[in-house]
Amino acid sequence: MCKALKSSVIHVKTWRTHMKVIADLHIHGRYSRATSEQMSLPEIAKYAKIKGLNLVGTGDFTHPMWLKEIRGTLTPEQDTELFKLVKGDSPVRFMLQTEVCTIFDYQGESRKVHHVILAPSLEIVDQINERLKRFGDLASDGRPILDCSAPQLVEEVMAVSGDNMVFPAHAWTPWFSIFGAFSGFDTVEDCYQDMTKHIHALETGLSSDPPMNWRLSKLDRYALVSNSDCHSFWPWRIGREANVFDLPDLTYDHVVSAISDNDPERFKFTIETDPAYGKYHWTGHRNCKVALSPTEAIKFGNICPVCRRKLTKGVEQRVEELADRPQDYKQPNAPGFKHLLPLSEVICAVLGTDSPAIQAVWKVYNALVERFGDEYTVLLDAPYEAMASVVDAPYAQAVVKVRDGTAKVTPGYDGVYGQLVLGSDVPVVKPKPPQTPKVQQRSMSDFW
């Protein structure tokens, strides 16, 4: 479907004498629940290259079958503690990575927290797995459930090697996260206790971004990383969030130390979807098509005005509960961020369709990627005039509007993604294809 497979070329750019690294450090292999069967390491490398990534996590090194594939498909790159494909000459490098779920009781409540683990070698991975298998069946899922606490997990991982890194995954998701509204904590210290000293970063997730996290002064010491957590190889999933570094060389140590030090000279910025695009940004109830801002949800007592059941509390409301700073607060001397949306989603908005997996989308996508080399170059750098010389002007207009932040997003809620709204100044290129009519999303005004 994606013609750009054969012709796209990744541009590994340099800043001064350094290398520009665009990294997605949290993905999943095909043994994880709800993951594409085609999520093999060669496919991940192929589509990462099209996206513009030059570093990607392996995903799921705790799973024995996936680890066997890692060993058979990847080979260590000398002096980097990173890995490359055994076959071919792909410029994409891999970092050993997994995600695990810990479920444990704390102060009389069940806590469910996901964590990302990074490691520098297969020997260290084997030792981590040997320790973690005492807490659960690692073969049950690519993201295993472990019967241990968050501090226990960190203690086990760091006892193997101080070069390992652990950070909380998708920190604000209502379920299974450190700050989750239903089973999380109010502080990092409550979660990791005496092992907090080993936590140097947290993952913002799709429904939050750095400005939302900057509102909590207790998070000032932590680097904010962004990754896709993708379960699909398609470019609208892999690399939809990423981290951009300026490093002397691409090595495990340079990447991990740039994150640990939260150094804006080396850790330049994160690529974030607009948090409103995330599936849990606003409070709501999917079955009743109700989506509410924090203020509206509080007025309803967090009860659905349609079915009278409890609403799924959104990330924006959860941040509001814990914040001790105003919405416009900017953290000084922190890595920056850029809001983007996947190019295929931008093209869909111009075409008036919800599905990226149609030929009309990929015709435009391929033309832009073939011209500019990879998707991130299109989204971040391609001039309007140059894009408009390749595809119809509305597509170029839409990319620029997303890039400069003038496009709007209808907030997502309760598992429903947000929707990109380009405005009347970007015309739909052709009539919308036939689709199943949607039920109109309800807002607070419908109930007052």
Side-chain angles (χ1 to χ4, degrees), residues 350 393-395 397-398 401 422-428:
V350 178
Y395 299 110
Q397 288 177 267
K401 288 196 71 167
L422 294 172
S424 58
D425 57 326
V426 180
V428 174

Side-chain angles (χ1 to χ4, degrees), residues 45-117:
K46 181 189 298 182
Y47 284 90
K49 178 181 174 181
I50 293 170
K51 190 74 176 189
L53 298 164
N54 45 2
L55 178 63
V56 66
T58 59
D60 306 343
F61 68 60
T62 43
H63 194 281
M65 293 300 293
W66 186 247
L67 183 57
K68 183 178 179 181
E69 291 193 23
I70 290 173
R71 281 196 154 92
T73 308
L74 302 181
T75 186
E77 184 176 52
Q78 188 174 3
D79 300 326
T80 68
E81 296 179 314
L82 300 174
F83 293 75
K84 61 183 179 179
L85 291 176
V86 172
K87 296 181 179 180
D89 58 354
S90 172
V92 176
R93 297 296 177 260
F94 287 85
M95 182 180 289
L96 293 168
Q97 167 263 316
T98 195
E99 180 186 5
V100 300
C101 171
T102 57
I103 300 179
F104 57 101
D105 288 335
Y106 177 79
Q107 294 185 346
E109 295 184 29
S110 178
R111 312 290 180 153
K112 302 174 183 179
V113 183
H114 286 194
H115 319 260
V116 175
I117 305 171

Side-chain angles (χ1 to χ4, degrees), residues 273-286:
T273 63
D274 185 314
Y277 186 76
K279 294 190 292 183
Y280 296 101
H281 185 65
W282 266 12
T283 298
H285 193 187
R286 173 174 41 188

Side-chain angles (χ1 to χ4, degrees), residues 272-430:
E272 311 270 344
T273 63
D274 185 314
Y277 186 76
K279 294 190 292 183
Y280 296 101
H281 185 65
W282 266 12
T283 298
H285 193 187
R286 173 174 41 188
N287 292 340
C288 297
K289 303 296 186 293
V290 172
L292 303 173
S293 71
T295 301
E296 294 170 335
I298 290 170
K299 288 181 178 178
F300 280 117
N302 290 317
I303 298 298
C304 177
V306 175
C307 69
R308 311 307 301 173
R309 295 179 180 176
K310 190 174 182 179
L311 294 164
T312 300
K313 187 180 293 183
V315 169
E316 188 172 9
Q317 184 176 348
R318 179 66 173 147
V319 170
E320 194 68 44
E321 290 176 350
L322 300 181
D324 59 353
R325 288 170 172 160
Q327 290 186 1
D328 59 353
Y329 180 82
K330 185 181 187 306
Q331 177 68 22
N333 302 316
F337 70 96
K338 296 181 184 294
H339 283 154
L340 295 176
L341 287 175
L343 178 58
S344 50
E345 302 281 357
V346 179
I347 295 168
C348 282
V350 178
L351 286 170
T353 180
D354 293 328
S355 174
I358 61 174
Q359 185 176 2
V361 172
W362 290 103
K363 180 179 180 181
V364 178
Y365 183 97
N366 290 337
L368 288 169
V369 169
E370 288 172 4
R371 168 65 177 81
F372 298 102
D374 59 66
E375 181 177 332
Y376 275 138
T377 299
V378 175
L379 293 172
L380 290 168
D381 303 317
Y384 168 81
E385 294 79 5
M387 288 189 286
S389 70
V390 176
V391 296
D392 290 339
Y395 299 110
Q397 288 177 267
V399 169
V400 171
K401 288 196 71 167
V402 170
R403 181 190 299 163
D404 65 19
T406 57
K408 305 298 181 184
V409 177
T410 302
Y413 65 100
D414 195 19
V416 178
Y417 280 111
Q419 294 185 348
L420 175 62
V421 180
L422 294 172
S424 58
D425 57 326
V426 180
V428 174
V429 169
K430 66 178 185 178

